[in-house]
Amino acid sequence: MASYKIFLLPGDGIGPEVTAEVEKVAKVLSDARVATFEFEKGLVGGAAYDAHGKAIGEDDMARAQAADAVLLAAVGGPKWANVPYDVRPEAGLLRLRKDLGLFANLRPAVCYPALADASALKREIVEGLDIMIVRELTGGVYFGEPKEIIDLGNGQKRAIDTQVYDTFEIERIAKVAFELARKRSNKVTSSEKHNVMKSGVLWKEVVAEVHAKSYADVKLEHMLADALGMQLVRWPKQFDVIVTDNLFGDMLSDVASMLTGSLGMLPSASLGEADAEGKRKAMYEPVHGSAPDIAGKGIANPIAMIGSFGMALRYSFGLGHAADMIEKAIADVLAAGLRTADIKGDATQTISTSAMGDAVAASLQKTL
Ligand code: NAD
């Protein structure tokens, strides 16, 4: 039986509560002899700052590099609002992304039928929705230089951010999107603003070249980012895989997250370059933050965290079937009417974080 080393970073706020539920699900898979998972725990964010004054320590960075996958919950909270900028909790997250070279951020937006009424949109628009947003994560305007505020000396200042993309950065993210589409509904929508941005012109050109060269079997469409934002709320089910840059991806994936009802439901994956054996550095984390408003109350929804573990099975360990079974277990638990407070809807009762984890684990055990 294969064994995988997972570096677990519970982080802050509700992090430790939701990661505990992942360990229950992993145990069910080990007991069923699907695979074994060795969890090694580290510190990131405010928890790391409290322990040693850094947002992540060197030992933990080394363990992240050596693991088969990193599983992180969330960082941050009001307690660390005034710590120095370079050791703020988010710095730990950014260091992990940068040092592991995680250039591809995968954010699925799936609307479980049982939760369709929790969406801000009408049931028929979102029920059964299953799209994947692939956001470029290490380039573009968040990192481009120059990035500065200049004092013009006449009472005016000038702020500059620079949007930069090189061919290789667009090629590699396009490949990730096309490969994913082949395993899904075989369609990629590439999004930029080629009508007003040079980086958009190059983005469109390179994606089209990668498509023609290696992925002509996948349907490709190009859509301007503003039009895509509109289409996402008009008729999101027209999309399968959406690939876009760092800035547009940041916004469009947040829009997509609202289609599905609750932040507590959404997992994500961040992947690096494949090595010679096709293995990628990878970090899996829920989309939500550390939710300080509900931390310690035992009411957080652990599904996004469990779903992130499911993505690790699919994208890092080649255990797609087990990942499908986890998703089915989640869907079954929701269909049976079990709800944490954030997805309560019309339900009369809610259950705790731990009871939701137990229910998903039990449902998985039955399915296996
Ligand atoms: P948040 O995602 O933590 O919370 C937003 C709202 O959603 C809150 O009302 C919260 O209670 C609720 N919520 C979030 N996850 C939930 C879950 N699993 N179950 C039930 N309800 C849930 O965002 P925020 O309040 O803007 O940020 C709080 C802290 O988290 C800040 O310090 C922020 O910087 C940090 N943050 C971290 C990450 C990350 O680690 N990747 C992402 C976003 C925000």
Side-chain angles (χ1 to χ4, degrees):
M1 187 170 36
S3 178
Y4 300 99
K5 230 199 272 176
I6 296 178
F7 186 45
L8 191 62
L9 290 165
D12 307 321
I14 59 170
E17 297 165 52
V18 293
T19 47
E21 305 312 308
V22 166
E23 293 184 78
K24 293 179 185 169
V25 172
K27 182 170 183 311
V28 172
L29 294 177
S30 305
D31 290 348
R33 306 195 58 75
V34 173
T36 57
F37 305 95
E38 193 189 315
F39 287 96
E40 198 179 3
K41 278 192 194 150
L43 295 173
V44 69
Y49 179 79
D50 287 349
H52 48 59
K54 283 183 168 179
I56 186 162
E58 297 311 316
D59 285 1
D60 281 343
M61 275 312 304
R63 288 195 274 169
Q65 291 280 6
D68 292 314
V70 178
L71 205 56
L72 181 146
V75 297
K79 182 178 172 198
W80 302 282
N82 297 316
V83 304
Y85 187 77
D86 59 334
V87 290
R88 72 200 188 285
E90 292 74 16
L93 199 59
L94 295 178
R95 168 104 193 262
L96 281 159
R97 285 180 186 163
K98 183 164 172 285
D99 286 13
L100 299 177
L102 307 176
F103 69 89
N105 184 223
L106 277 50
R107 277 177 60 167
V110 173
C111 182
Y112 292 94
L115 292 187
D117 292 327
S119 168
L121 300 189
K122 290 192 199 106
R123 172 177 277 276
E124 62 268 26
I125 294 178
V126 294
E127 186 171 11
L129 178 76
D130 181 359
I131 61 182
M132 175 73 85
I133 300 200
V134 178
R135 165 188 170 195
E136 202 288 329
L137 199 60
T138 51
V141 73
Y142 293 166
F143 297 98
E145 296 284 347
K147 186 179 209 43
E148 59 192 349
I149 297 177
I150 304 168
D151 195 332
L152 298 177
N154 57 355
Q156 294 285 306
K157 289 181 183 175
R158 178 173 296 153
I160 304 173
D161 292 291
T162 308
Q163 165 88 338
V164 189
Y165 273 108
D166 289 355
T167 306
F168 80 95
E169 294 175 285
I170 306 170
E171 275 173 355
R172 65 184 184 180
I173 194 83
K175 285 179 189 166
V176 169
F178 287 124
E179 295 287 342
L180 276 170
R182 276 187 177 154
K183 294 183 189 146
R184 296 171 46 94
S185 301
N186 219 33
K187 180 178 167 191
V188 170
T189 304
S190 169
S191 191
E192 29 59 27
K193 289 277 289 177
H194 67 266
N195 52 342
V196 285
M197 295 171 77
K198 289 293 177 196
S199 55
V201 172
L202 185 68
W203 185 281
K204 186 175 180 210
E205 192 179 296
V206 173
V207 172
E209 276 168 19
V210 171
H211 177 251
K213 194 169 161 212
S214 312
Y215 299 95
D217 55 301
V218 180
K219 186 171 176 344
L220 169 65
E221 69 177 0
H222 302 276
M223 196 178 283
L224 293 173
D226 49 342
L228 196 143
M230 190 260 286
Q231 291 295 337
L232 259 184
V233 289
R234 193 185 76 87
W235 190 240
K237 285 190 252 183
Q238 68 185 282
F239 299 111
D240 177 24
V241 175
I242 293 169
V243 62
T244 189
D245 74 11
N246 202 343
L247 174 64
F248 295 138
D250 195 1
M251 293 188 292
L252 294 171
S253 57
D254 265 26
V255 172
S257 72
M258 278 321 293
L259 303 175
T260 68
S262 169
L263 266 177
M265 298 294 301
L266 293 166
S268 80
S270 300
L271 308 177
E273 205 89 64
D275 66 15
E277 290 145 31
K279 215 168 157 258
R280 294 176 186 275
K281 292 261 188 286
M283 181 159 84
Y284 299 87
E285 50 183 317
V287 168
H288 63 72
S290 57
D293 52 335
I294 57 166
K297 295 185 179 164
I299 58 169
N301 185 347
I303 292 179
M305 191 73 233
I306 295 172
S308 302
F309 173 61
M311 288 188 86
L313 299 182
R314 191 183 302 284
Y315 297 113
S316 282
F317 309 151
L319 296 172
H321 180 65
D324 288 345
M325 292 299 101
I326 290 180
E327 278 166 23
K328 183 176 175 334
I330 292 170
D332 288 349
V333 161
L334 295 173
L338 298 180
R339 299 282 186 273
T340 42
D342 57 310
I343 49 172
K344 180 168 180 277
D346 296 332
T348 48
Q349 273 195 325
T350 58
I351 59 172
S352 67
T353 309
S354 167
M356 181 57 94
D358 288 341
V360 174
S363 172
L364 177 66
Q365 194 168 24
K366 256 190 262 162
T367 320
L368 283 170

